[in-house]
Amino acid sequence: MPEIPVIEDIHKKVLEAVTATPDSLNMKEWHTCTTTHCRAGWVVHLAGQAGYALEKFYWGDTAFAAQQIYHASGYDISPVRFYESNETAMADIKRLAEV
């Protein structure tokens, strides 16, 4: 099993990523391209090669890999958060980054 990566200040890093462009967050697709992902996709992407290795190890299960990365980074996230609308996800991401 690959090591589970840790993302320091995960909430702030995710917020920076999803607000980089107006199209950076797309909750309908895990990975659209290198600049557009859903919330779980961004977590895997921000974890770099280790994140993608973890995703691959879990048979491409982006949500489970992201949940493991969130946990290792100090936050237990409900997997339902990976299936919300863009608006709901953005509000939660902003809320967590401000804490």
Side-chain angles (χ1 to χ4, degrees):
M1 180 175 148
E3 185 175 326
I4 299 172
V6 172
I7 300 172
E8 297 296 327
D9 297 318
I10 190 168
H11 303 304
K12 290 179 182 169
K13 297 265 175 68
V14 171
L15 179 61
E16 288 172 12
V18 301
T19 58
T21 73
D23 298 323
S24 292
L25 181 65
N26 179 1
M27 291 298 289
K28 294 181 182 180
E29 299 287 335
W30 299 114
H31 304 287
T32 304
C33 65
T34 59
T35 60
T36 303
H37 305 272
C38 69
R39 184 180 195 164
W42 271 115
V43 170
V44 169
H45 184 76
L46 291 169
Q49 289 182 352
Y52 282 107
L54 190 65
E55 179 182 53
K56 183 178 179 181
F57 178 80
Y58 288 120
W59 302 282
D61 191 335
T62 307
F64 190 73
Q67 191 175 16
Q68 300 308 305
I69 296 166
Y70 262 111
H71 177 75
S73 300
Y75 182 75
D76 289 322
I77 190 166
S78 171
V80 300
R81 290 287 187 185
F82 300 136
Y83 300 94
E84 297 175 323
S85 69
N86 278 9
E87 295 77 20
T88 301
M90 185 67 79
D92 189 57
I93 291 165
K94 286 179 179 178
R95 178 185 65 82
L96 291 169
E98 293 173 357
V99 174

